[in-house]
Amino acid sequence: MAAGGCRLLLMFVFCLALLPGRATPLQASQTWALLKVQQLLNRPAALTHWRRTTDFCGGTAAPSAAVVCYGDTVTQLHVTGAAAPPLPLNFSIGALVTTLSRLPDLKVLTLSGLGLWGPLPGKLECLAALEIVNMSGNYLYGPIPRGLSRLRSLQTLILDDNMIGGEVPGWLGTALPSLAVLSLKNNSLAGAVPDSLGTAPSLRSLVLASNNLSGNLPDMRGLASLQTLDVAGNSLGPAFPRLPRKVASVVLSRNRFGGGLPAADLTSFYLLERLDVSRNSFVGPFPPALLSLPSLRYLSIAGNRFTGTLSDKAPCGDNLQLVDLSSNLLMGSVPACLRPDGKTKTVVISSENCLDKGDGSQNPSPFCQNQALAVGIVPHHKDRKEIGRHAGFIAGIVVAVLVAVSLVGAMAFFAVRKMTMEGAKTRPAAILVEEHSSSSAYPSKLFADARYISQTVKLGALGIQPYRSFSLVELEAATNNFANSCLLGQDSYGEMYLGKLSNGTPVTIRSLKVKRNQSTQSFNRHIETISRLRHRHLVSALGHCFEYDLDDSTVTQLYLVFEYVQNGSLRSRISQGTEGRKLSWGQRILAAIGVAKGIQFLHGGIIPGLFGNNLRINNILLDQNHVAKIGSYNIPILGEASKPEGGAGSKHQTDSAMLGDKIDIFDFGVILLELVSGKPITSIYEVEIMKELLLWAMAEEDRARRRSFVDPAVSKSCSEESLRTVMEICLRCLSKEAVHRPSVEDVIWNLQFATQVQDDWEGEIWSGDGSPVSSSRATRSSRFSR
């Protein structure tokens, strides 16, 4: 009896141990891991209450931070922030995942809106028990790693609102048999949606909105569990996707879908609650039967070219809450079941259509008739004459406007030319040069020639030799017959050698392969341009040499000779420099001014200007006086301008010739970003992170916050006014829209102002006066009223 009672007692104690509410102490290693996570996340507000003595498993969970345990081990971790800026530069996403691996039974992980940055870590595969992962609202970048395919139990993957790139991996539909929810909206994914997602056995929700996806969607009729499809804001299409009948929400807005709607399929979707096909290129008749779907709550067909005649007797479903028919070519009248009558609560938007005015009269405008004709709807015979009359009238107006614009433009041109010529007798020469440079190509060339002559004189004073033609014998002697020991590097165009001329001048010699179909005129034209690439802030061209074929005297090799700059790159004195070798704040601004002046010369100092120069900080060289020189620019090579690979900011660049100068401004902004922060920036993802950090540093008038962004080597030796000015112009250079970026002249003006206030500040420190001079602030304010 006693033995039986003991057994019953032991079973009772064992059952108590399995109850979830039992406050079993958490393993010490897992307590350490949670506190380490708190530290790595920079102690966010949601975790300020965590202490060593915190009862993680028995405490009350907060909405933004929760730990769920089973026994003495953590199974769920939820930490949510409020769209935090990127974590400090010493944050490591790899260290965070390594720490989380101390929680081997973790099944649910939520780390959203916390400012995490870095490539999405494949080491998450170490958390083999994971079933739900939500890392949305951060700054994660790079492709989705293959390591996630080993999470065989993964059911939900949410990575919304990050900067994840690459393509949607095909293994998402094959390697994760339990995957039910996949949400990757608002990232930078590109390419086609893989066919394998059409066969994912458990997929219930697929959200790929706001990416750069293209092509047709895979056949999804086999996804028996699919309830939600959201692919808005891509370039998908043109075919309407094939979907299972039990789907509840379909959002295809802002894509390239076209043709007609598959009415037979859609009207069989008896569980469909939301259908949004707005802002596409759909045409053809709108199927009124959609309005009567039993479960439909939201319907939007806005911004297409749907046609057809609606009847006021068309039936409607009982659950309709919003119907948007706007910006189409519908005729007839809004169904009576959608009209406000005090009983229905359905919101209906029908503007910019060809519907009647609500009084029963059908009087479509000529615009509607012409648009209907444009999409292939043949009007009745009695309307054709009227349509033709309106179309002819509109065409006549268009022609008249074009002729008037041409005449006005011609008159304006000759008027400006006459005024310029008449004013030449009285206006200063400098003003005339400036006016001609913006109105005529020929005076611009004269202006550029004058500046070129001036630059040549100045370069001669700096010891840079005049441009000349070299013989092959000279170059062979300078490079020891192009020995491998003199080879500096090579690319697809040829090789770069270090040489020494007979007078002891060190030079770099670029050997370029030549296409035999290049004409003599082409060579002469481009050699003339190259000969003008001489400026204080460029690695200047010193000469060229042709190597000829002995049989037909055609050019087989071209050698370009440049000055040799031997004091290293700008990066070697900023982010890769050691203490004592890093440039001071004043030297950094002067280097930035030098780069900007070099850009100014490339854009306007030669005709034609050179744009898209692939500006990178490691291609900015310093001479013995720390003068910055652009060492890699878009030189015309044998009739084919070398296409720039794009600096770190190529993601936001445009191919438009009209905005070509703004390509270099963005890359210059990336250089400024590294000059200020002292951190090497090597990819567009790092540009985005550093830009967000800079925005955060500038968001408030907090001196400590601004200084936390600055390179510690100079943070204590730069004035507040100078620092703020450089940060502001840096942000403007990094604008995503090219038209919002400043001109190179604006950049130079702001940087020169930053130099002035820095000099004034340093002078006040040396003189012992405590406050910056007031004249500097007055000067700063004047630039906004120019």
Side-chain angles (χ1 to χ4, degrees), residues 170-194:
W171 51 260
L172 284 172
T174 56
L176 304 174
S178 302
L179 187 64
V181 177
L182 176 62
S183 188
L184 305 172
K185 70 179 179 183
N186 198 19
N187 280 285
S188 300
L189 295 165
V193 178

Side-chain angles (χ1 to χ4, degrees), residues 673-733:
L673 203 57
E674 189 162 330
L675 287 176
V676 175
S677 68
K679 303 293 182 182
I681 301 173
T682 58
S683 70
I684 184 58
Y685 307 110
E686 293 176 1
V687 173
E688 295 291 341
I689 291 168
M690 295 298 293
K691 181 182 174 183
E692 289 294 331
L693 285 172
L694 180 55
L695 284 168
W696 171 80
M698 295 287 291
E700 297 179 8
E701 284 298 322
D702 187 340
R703 183 179 184 276
R705 178 183 286 195
R706 272 193 297 275
R707 299 286 169 162
S708 67
F709 181 82
V710 182
D711 186 354
V714 297
S715 62
K716 296 181 180 180
S717 60
C718 55
S719 77
E720 190 67 13
E721 190 78 354
S722 177
L723 176 60
R724 187 187 298 112
T725 302
V726 175
M727 284 182 163
E728 287 173 355
I729 196 64
C730 178
L731 281 176
R732 291 175 59 199
C733 291

Side-chain angles (χ1 to χ4, degrees), residues 132-146:
I132 298 175
V133 175
N134 181 358
M135 301 179 74
S136 59
N138 289 293
Y139 303 88
L140 302 174
Y141 55 80
I144 299 175
R146 179 77 188 191

